[in-house]
Amino acid sequence: MYRDTPKPTRLEDYQPPEFLIDRAELRFDLDAVETLVSAALEIRRNPAAKRGDGSLRLDGEQLELLEIALDDRALPPVEYVVDERTLVVQRVPDRFQLRTRVRIHPAANTALEGLYISGDMLCTQCEAEGFRRMTYFLDRPDVMARFAVTLVADATRYPVLLSNGNPIDQETLPGGRHLARWEDPFPKPSYLFALVAGDLARIEDSFTTASGREVALHLYMEPRNRDKCGHAMRSLKAAMRWDEEHYGREYDLDLFMIVAVSHFNMGAMENKGLNVFNAKYVLASPETATDQDFAGIASVVAHEYFHNWTGNRITCRDWFQLSLKEGFTVFRDQEFSADQGGRDVQRIADVRALRARQFPEDAGPMAHPVRPSSYIEINNFYTTTVYEKGAELVRMQARLLGPERFRAATDLYFQRHDGQAVTTEDFVRCMEDASGLDLTQFRRWYEQAGTPVLECTADWEAGQGTYRLEVRQHTDPTPGQPEKSPRHMPLALGLIGTDGRELPVQLAGEPAPIGPGTRVLELREARQVFEFVGLSERPVPSLLRGFSAPVKLRFPYSDEELTRLMAADPDGVARWNAAQQLAERVLLAMVVTPDTPPPQAFIDAFAAALGDQEADPALLAEVLALPSESYLGDQMQAVDVDGIHRAREALMVQVATALRADLLERYHALHRFEPVTDQAAASTDREPDLSPAAMGRRALKNLCLGYLMRAPDDAVLALCQRQYATAATMTDRIAGLRGLIRLRDTDQAELAEQALTDFYQRWSQDALVLDKWFAIQAQASAPGTLGRVKQLLRHANFSIGNPNRVRSLIGAFAAGNPVCFHAADGGGYRLLAEQVARLDPLNPQLASRLLHPLTQWRRHDASRQALMRAELEGLRARDGISPDLFEVLGKCLD
Ligand code: PHE
Ligand code: ZN
């Protein structure tokens, strides 16, 4: 454990490295219990750095140093000092070779950083600072070395031996062992190093780059999963093509590998030429994976592939620049998904996620800028702010520049910085240099935390046909940043007339526009007024189209105006947003006054959307989905968890009752498209359709089912049971199960239990599907859920050592079931604190992430605040908590 109080690292203290490593030759004698790592490092003094005290300071943690030699001279102990995290070699020459040999213990590595065991294989995770758990090194991203790697292992247990770059040779060794050599021609930071050893199956394909080079594509997995990799492979090829077409980026090695592992802290990792993936983002078949899972796989495969240019060829100077690679790469994967599956629906999903997770983070104790200025544990900064808000900053710049200039700017970025470790400032400079725009003020987005609020008002001068829109912006203080300055942002808008048609958007003093449609205005001031002229009627403004900036926008719409936008706005995102605002209004009123029936106008608007045969069903599924409980909570000063849940359920019942016939009709019309499974034979008459259109139909159909099951009569129940039992896709089966599980704690509870047992029996051998079985129970809002979660913690299939399983039970409960997690007696809080305490010594990175729902304690009523705080204090009082937890607890308690 850690004895000293962890100290923050600060951006302002950044110094270039005193030494550089040109080449690293590594040899791993692999064994699960005890692995020996030999390193030969070619080191030289960095001419660009200040001269220090002449000693070399390498990072290294949990290493047992066996040998050390400088230029082939074994070093006597007086010439070096080893402590818990460093190796200091005194008075080194300007250029030399350092050889070390250390012992490490993969089987004892529960943190899943460095070299560890996943199932029967050995694998590594180095980002951000895992490499130092395998050998002594300058483990920082601005030190880029050429790596040559030798892997030696038992030939039967570990027949496949992989590392970055190109395979050089293989040898059989005495004693049943074998060896493989790999070389990566591209210099890279240590966080992009990887190795994998195991008895793995492989599927192969190939890709011809735009310039005609042939790239071999290898996907590795446990042999029993070999038939579940087709979608990942297709997604990879689509991503490779897309990056050529949209950014002019080709792949640069002859081989690209992906390995699916069952134990992984995050989604996936972009190691050079050897991506390592959480199996969840590789394996899929229609029977085992939902449409959402399929979309998640395509986006993560693309994300990691895109990192080859935005992250690997051009990397981060230091970890404060994390959003340089993550924000840009998320933007790129979002755009890829938009091109693949539908732009509006993709944008809506991204905005939903931003509002559900990033806005609360930005308004709470963990708020930090996209480019933070200080951290204790960098693992705590892989946040939705760095990733998703970071992507919004790139998106805004792309919009301010326009497509041509943005492309010129990214071309410049790739050309100017290839092979370098750079900063977000370097990125913005390229945007400016290629476009001539001045982004001085825009840079505040990287430095200031907090979500700006835009307060908009308007007035209409009928006589002149003039519509005046006033926009004020402000941002509330965040920890350490009491004062905020106005930000530069694009505000996309349109004007809608009474008949639902778009009106021309012409600013005073401008010539008449070519036609109606979206205009992008630029905000810079705390208060700005825009005067639109030449209008024949008072328009309804359609504001923040495409969600053009990550802000909270307020405008005093009447219900009638929102209804108009909800029915007619040609911008899908704005249409969805109008529906959300209308529903939010109804719901928040119901929180204050339970039993208020929804206004008829709301039901009518809802019915109209449900019956809209023109619109994309995927878009309608978004328009008709009520805002989530956590989003609604975020709109209240003090979150009324129970009131929100009650109101949301009540509104769903009212919709289900009022529109039963419409919902059923739409359900049946959409369900007809699905293949039918013969339950006994478990075979379908057709292959399930996985096109975006089919996924959209299933989304809308299952939305209908979700409403119907809020007020289930016998007919609806039978329909839900039939869907569950005969589903050809996991999407439909899980939707059926979700409906049936609502019957828990009713007098038809046995239907829920039967379905759960059936599901378990079908899928108990498939870890990823079993994760769903755990999660769906943890998320059930029935009052008995806390007790069931406690039972499931003791279930034979629960394992604290598998992050996916931990997230599917503990994470799903704490972050995905507000009403049970926040039970008034504090039982939910206690459960989370206990599990975090249990997990912290094993896997601090995961423990610290799971804790997040408790960190929002200030948003709740006094009694819950006291209970939540007590659990947080209890954790802080424990001996030897990790720096990860120490940092989060400090931020949310002090
Ligand atoms: N760099 C990975 C990604 O976003 C995320 C990651 C971070 C994975 C740290 C593992 C550890 O693509
Ligand atoms: Zn990433």
Side-chain angles (χ1 to χ4, degrees), residues 125 127-128 264 266 268-270 303-304 307 325-326 382 387 845:
Q125 172 51 46
E127 188 179 6
F264 202 73
M266 308 279 275
M269 180 63 211
E270 69 264 23
H303 178 100
E304 305 310 330
H307 268 315
K325 74 176 176 82
E326 295 305 346
Y382 287 79
Y387 275 65
Q845 189 179 348

Side-chain angles (χ1 to χ4, degrees), residues 454-459 467-471 538-543 552-558 561-562 565 581 585:
L454 303 186
E455 303 274 4
C456 306
T457 51
D459 58 73
Y467 186 69
R468 210 172 288 111
L469 179 72
E470 178 178 329
V471 184
R538 180 180 186 131
V540 178
S542 163
L543 298 169
K552 298 182 180 172
L553 186 142
R554 304 205 180 108
F555 183 85
Y557 287 113
S558 68
E561 288 173 322
L562 284 177
L565 293 175
Q581 286 177 74
R585 216 173 256 187

Side-chain angles (χ1 to χ4, degrees), residues 147-192:
F147 283 75
V149 179
T150 303
L151 304 175
V152 179
D154 183 278
T156 326
R157 284 187 82 116
Y158 305 111
V160 175
L161 298 175
L162 309 174
S163 191
N164 316 87
N166 302 313
I168 302 298
D169 78 56
Q170 292 195 34
E171 282 171 38
T172 308
L173 300 176
R177 292 178 80 76
H178 71 149
L179 164 159
R181 260 188 262 281
W182 291 82
E183 249 191 84
D184 184 353
F186 293 96
K188 65 168 174 289
S190 49
Y191 83 86
L192 291 173

